[in-house]
Amino acid sequence: MTNKKNPPNILSESEQSARIHEAMRRGMSRRDALKTFGVAGLFAASTGGLLGSSLGYASEGTSGTPKRGGRIRVAAHAASTSDTLDPAKGSTAIDYARHEMFYNGLTEFDERLIPQPSLAEHFVTSDGGTTWLFTLRRGVTFHDGKPLSAADVVFSIARHKDPDTGSKAMSLATQIADVKALGSQQVQITLNSPNIELPAILAVSHMKIVPEGTVDFSKGIGTGPFRCQEFSPGVRSIGVRNDNYWREGRPYLDEIEMVGISDEPSRVNALLSGDVQLINAVYGRSAERIELSTGHAVKSVNSGNYTDLVMRVDQEPTSRPAFVEAMKYLFDREQIKWAVFRNYAEIANDHPIAPSNPYFFADLPQRPYDPDRARHLLKQAGVEGARLPVVASPAADGSEDIAVLLQQSAQQAGLNLTINRVPSDGYWSNHWMKHPLGFGNINPRPTANILLSQFFQSSAPWNESGWKNEQFDQLLTLSRAEPDQAVRKQMYADMQTLIHEHCGIGIPVFINTIDGRDKRLKGYDRTIPLGGFMGYTFAEHVWWDDA
């Protein structure tokens, strides 16, 4: 029998069916899915096109009519001299929020985490996800007046592949084989293998577009809604409205100052006293206090954020599998959920995929709290009765309280844990991933593949425990191109199982993201489930109303 290939621009019937299923899962109506994938057979995206909905930039809503003007002060939970305006190097909430203020990406997420056009007015792939064509929006200028061009996009994306850049998204960029300009307004990206999630990858904050040849990022020159007036790492930044912003009518505020207040009670007090108008990383025990204030409100979203116990597999005694397994049995998850997070959390199972994710593996048996089993494993690992330090910090949300509970559980299993508390300032550069036993705090990612690529792939710079697994890496790569949803879901189930059973990461709960705000700050209605500050995108959407 002759096996005739499909024409290069037409999807096969099975591929069409898979694409339609995926688009409907992401929120597209059946009618629009059929229109996009069924009749034309093209995997294309443009305004109102690919996977879905508009971004919903309504001028009115539950907050009323937007007003222009006003200045607010915002406090994030961590700031240090490592703060950066280089999008490629961002690693904290205050970095991400600033990058959303000063830059744009080719794409951006809507409230359902579906990538939508931003600086790219259209994007399309006609070969199942290997080659993509992005057409740029005309009339966009950088803060210094330079027009946006394809050369800026090529530079911004290619720099992630250069080890000297130190990009936190390098593990995502390795799949890009080539990026080149086709004239001044179009960019072609070719991947090593198909990935239907490329538009989502390009929407993450690290992938913002900067002017070609940029070396000094201290001025934050981008195309975003605010211009950087001042930036002092670890101290503050001031952004002023970009009057030439390409999205008409935005932003509303005149000025935003961002500072860091690492101590959570101090951050809450600053909000309630009026010193700041918006804060992130509110603890559950403080949420009620804020809500009792007639002039303030909280916004709580469970988007998959987690604080994890990091056990480095390249150090002792955390390189011993029995020790790693024992520590996971010492999590009293229900107690952590209630005592640390006041039930603003969901039980996790030592892997990073939250129950709200469509690829969550519900059939994986929940690991119980079992000090007796832990004692047996610690003895097997040769560390029963040992005295070990665990590093915790306010920078990793709730880690100090989790460490106290873990210390109590460890005593029952015959292990003496000492808690080494270190300040937030410098934690991520000086302590994170540098001790045998410590904590991380991972912000949500828009897709399971992006999350696993950045934190669990063997080559990922943010592979917290240093775990390397060839089977996992193969599954991760294959899942990017797999059109059969049942097969793809099983791949993700296998990856979750490998992490649960073998990785040096313990995840007790998924934490609700809680922000506190002054009620006069309006427009805080959108929910972008990627972290605090409305998925870090608040600056473009909020306004001040004294009325």
Side-chain angles (χ1 to χ4, degrees), residues 55 57 100 108-114 203 299 301-303 444 446 513 515 524-538 541:
L55 284 165
Y57 285 101
E100 294 292 342
E108 64 187 55
F109 293 111
D110 65 13
E111 292 187 74
R112 291 179 291 171
L113 295 184
I114 297 172
K299 185 178 182 69
V301 177
N302 195 308
S303 49
T513 297
D515 297 338
Y524 215 76
D525 305 322
R526 300 179 82 231
T527 298
I528 307 292
L530 288 176
F533 297 138
M534 286 172 50
Y536 313 109
T537 68
F538 76 95
H541 305 285

Side-chain angles (χ1 to χ4, degrees), residues 45 122-125 131-135 182 186-189:
H122 307 280
F123 51 94
V124 60
T125 180
T131 305
W132 294 78
L133 183 65
F134 293 82
T135 301
L182 302 181
Q186 289 190 317
V187 175
Q188 178 179 288
I189 299 177

Side-chain angles (χ1 to χ4, degrees), residues 56-70 241 248-254 520-526 538-547:
Y57 285 101
S59 60
E60 295 187 24
T62 57
S63 295
T65 304
K67 295 184 177 182
R68 199 172 177 89
R241 184 173 60 234
E248 188 176 357
R250 301 294 178 116
Y252 304 117
L253 292 170
D254 291 334
R520 291 172 293 180
L521 184 64
K522 306 294 186 181
Y524 215 76
D525 305 322
R526 300 179 82 231
F538 76 95
E540 184 171 351
H541 305 285
V542 299
W543 65 92
W544 188 255
D545 190 349
D546 269 319

